[in-house]
Amino acid sequence: MVDLLLGLQWGDEGKGKIVDVLTKNYDIIARFQGGPNAGHTLEFDGIKHVLHTIPSGIFHENAINVVGNGVVIDPVIFKKELDNLEKFDIDIVSRLLISRKAHLILPTHRLLDAASETAKGKAKIGSTLKGIGPTYMDKTGRNGLRVGDLEFDTWRKKYRALANKHEAMIDFYNVDIEYDLKELEDEFCEGVEALKKLTFIDSEEYIFKAQEKGKKILAEGAQGSLLDIDFGTYPYVTSSNTTAAGACTGLGVAPNKIGDVLGIFKAYATRVGSGPFPTELFDKDGETMGRVGNEFGATTGRPRRCGWLDLVALKYAVQINGVTELMMMKADVLSGFETIKVCTEYLYNGEKIKHLPYNIESDNVKPIYTELKGWKKDLTQLTKAEDLPATLNEYIAFLEKELNVPIKIVSVGPDRLQTIYR
Ligand code: IMP
């Protein structure tokens, strides 16, 4: 069986930390979608690590990490990640395997992303500009360059044809973007050489065989359910399926081989980039969440928009993914609030609704809140569930009742050790 670990909001829920904490229970950690638009932050022994493409199990000797076919890889960023890991004396070659079917992000994909965003003006998606959208477009358009192509000398020819097409497309956008393609391509080729030092595999076969041998596998999601290309707040989404089904297509796992579905959410909500966010706060409370929660994107450094927990949206994500266990992150950030608000319904066209409608722009949807008592206690030093303050337990019990799924982990800080099991 393959367990899944998924973000249930707009990304940045803390998946990296939880994968790192859980890796001791698994033999294989596998990424199945997204690319270096993700920034998975892990903290232990006083050091903070940010991973973009490499799975978050890389720091554990017991686990093999797989980058699956559904992932898009930028060799330039990948090389930087590898270089950053060098000082930690990790046997990367034996611990990290790459799917031949994963697609490559070309420098011109990044340029196209920038051209497309610039051309959109105010309607821009707020992309991380890592070339994600254009790369998945080439994948579904059947033009993409894949990791497996690098095993044949013909890859340069394929590369050239694709890059030429991209240059014509960039011209078409007619926006002011300066670039030195030669420099970018030299960097790309260096990245390709670094990537080629790793082992390329038929990952679906590898995962299948591992299942036959009874290995424990955790599929690590990137971004969050509300950024899913089909079920997210389209068009303000990423270009892959971030939800449970994405693990089947992004790794080649049959649906009946999915085991536990672990869903991660923050005790409040954040979003980076554009798009609707019904519970967004523009006041002191939102500012406090951002400051205390250090809410800045791990990939782009952009400040994240903050707001109260949206149970309508969270319930939707629980349903779409078939979540079996929940993990609540950053409970410590809410310490000190007199009252905690939770959105339990929307006012939509003058009617109270409890499901996510087609359009959740603020003109259409107004959140209706339930207020709960806050807790004053600093949680960051706590290690046992018995020590959690009574009002936090009431908050947890309220959420469990509404979502009908148990909350098994409460995270009270970024460090591995700041993790409370219930
Ligand atoms: P893209 O995937 O870079 O094209 O970005 C599309 C949207 O998804 C933008 O609003 C990004 O801010 C958002 N996004 C992409 N990756 C992440 C992530 O890892 N965390 C949070 N938001 C993300």
Side-chain angles (χ1 to χ4, degrees):
M1 290 304 231
V2 177
D3 293 341
L4 310 184
L5 183 124
L6 305 167
L8 301 181
Q9 294 160 309
W10 281 285
D12 308 315
E13 295 90 355
K15 294 175 289 291
K17 164 178 167 165
I18 293 297
V19 174
D20 175 55
V21 166
L22 296 180
T23 299
K24 58 180 185 308
N25 308 328
Y26 290 94
D27 303 303
I28 297 171
I29 308 295
R31 269 282 299 269
F32 60 88
Q33 48 70 230
N37 47 348
H40 291 170
T41 309
L42 291 65
E43 246 180 89
F44 52 88
D45 302 337
I47 306 175
K48 182 170 159 176
H49 307 266
V50 181
L51 297 169
H52 298 287
T53 323
I54 296 175
S56 305
I58 198 69
F59 294 101
H60 294 258
E61 266 175 34
N62 63 300
I64 297 291
N65 291 261
V66 175
V67 176
N69 58 281
V71 177
V72 290
I73 300 174
D74 184 333
V76 178
I77 298 177
F78 202 81
K79 178 175 182 309
K80 284 190 189 139
E81 279 187 75
L82 292 174
D83 291 348
N84 285 342
L85 290 176
E86 231 166 47
K87 54 182 172 294
F88 297 106
D89 200 23
I90 297 169
D91 183 3
I92 296 278
V93 175
S94 63
R95 252 191 249 173
L96 182 59
L97 307 173
I98 316 287
S99 168
R100 290 195 173 90
K101 294 193 175 78
H103 279 245
L104 294 172
I105 303 176
L106 273 52
T108 41
H109 280 132
R110 267 185 274 134
L111 296 171
L112 269 176
D113 213 355
S116 159
E117 282 285 79
T118 309
K120 281 195 162 106
K122 276 204 179 117
K124 71 175 184 185
I125 307 296
S127 158
T128 60
L129 302 179
K130 303 293 175 200
I132 304 299
T135 307
Y136 279 112
M137 277 165 67
D138 272 331
K139 175 177 176 174
T140 52
R142 297 162 293 180
N143 297 310
L145 187 68
R146 302 192 288 178
V147 166
D149 291 327
L150 301 177
E151 293 176 318
F152 303 92
D153 288 338
T154 45
W155 79 263
R156 286 175 195 276
K157 216 170 137 198
K158 282 193 184 175
Y159 170 90
R160 191 75 276 142
L162 198 51
N164 287 349
K165 187 189 83 169
H166 291 161
E167 278 201 281
M169 289 166 75
I170 294 165
D171 286 347
F172 166 82
Y173 278 112
N174 196 21
V175 289
D176 207 11
I177 290 189
E178 281 188 21
Y179 58 92
D180 178 343
L181 192 53
K182 167 81 179 62
E183 201 177 296
L184 294 174
E185 288 184 340
D186 288 348
E187 210 184 22
F188 181 79
C189 290
E190 271 177 44
V192 165
E193 289 314 311
L195 191 58
K196 281 168 82 173
K197 294 203 176 100
L198 299 180
T199 310
F200 300 162
I201 57 164
D202 297 324
S203 55
E204 62 283 13
E205 179 68 9
Y206 180 85
I207 300 272
F208 182 71
K209 287 265 159 61
Q211 289 178 80
E212 276 191 333
K213 287 185 206 142
K215 299 276 183 202
K216 292 207 71 191
I217 305 169
L218 180 69
E220 175 190 23
Q223 291 85 45
S225 298
L226 301 171
L227 290 172
D228 183 279
I229 183 72
D230 284 283
F231 299 107
T233 47
Y234 192 89
Y236 301 100
V237 292
T238 191
S239 298
S240 60
N241 282 116
T242 58
T243 44
C248 297
T249 55
L251 286 174
V253 177
N256 61 346
K257 295 290 186 290
I258 301 293
D260 295 336
V261 181
L262 318 176
I264 301 211
F265 69 101
K266 273 184 204 171
Y268 49 101
T270 64
R271 168 160 213 173
V272 61
S274 328
F277 180 3
T279 60
E280 182 170 12
L281 291 169
F282 301 93
D283 60 6
K284 202 167 84 309
D285 287 344
E287 189 268 322
T288 305
M289 288 171 192
R291 181 172 35 80
V292 180
N294 193 25
E295 295 294 356
F296 296 92
T299 298
T300 58
R302 291 178 292 177
R304 297 179 186 137
R305 301 152 64 192
C306 298
W308 295 115
L309 186 62
D310 183 343
L311 273 186
V312 180
L314 192 55
K315 214 179 264 180
Y316 171 80
V318 165
Q319 281 168 2
I320 294 268
N321 294 308
V323 171
T324 56
E325 283 179 23
L326 286 162
M327 300 172 179
M328 184 167 84
M329 311 301 287
K330 289 195 151 182
D332 53 300
V333 175
L334 293 187
S335 291
F337 280 94
E338 207 64 52
T339 50
I340 311 276
K341 289 188 189 174
V342 188
C343 167
T344 42
E345 284 174 301
Y346 292 152
L347 193 62
Y348 178 70
N349 290 337
E351 210 187 308
K352 284 183 182 176
I353 59 166
K354 276 189 165 247
H355 70 275
L356 210 72
Y358 181 71
N359 185 338
I360 61 164
E361 294 287 347
S362 55
D363 293 349
N364 296 293
V365 155
K366 300 270 175 284
I368 300 174
Y369 290 108
T370 297
E371 289 197 16
L372 290 108
K373 260 206 190 123
W375 52 92
K376 289 274 161 169
K377 190 169 174 169
D378 170 23
L379 308 178
T380 56
Q381 306 303 319
L382 303 186
T383 51
K384 294 196 292 287
E386 302 87 86
D387 298 334
L388 294 176
T391 44
L392 172 53
N393 279 326
E394 282 163 24
Y395 186 61
I396 294 170
F398 179 79
L399 302 183
E400 285 183 325
K401 186 158 170 277
E402 288 282 317
L403 298 166
N404 203 18
V405 181
I407 297 177
K408 294 284 195 171
I409 284 181
V410 177
S411 174
V412 292
D415 198 278
R416 268 181 192 167
L417 302 173
Q418 293 170 301
T419 310
I420 297 175
Y421 297 86
R422 301 176 71 244

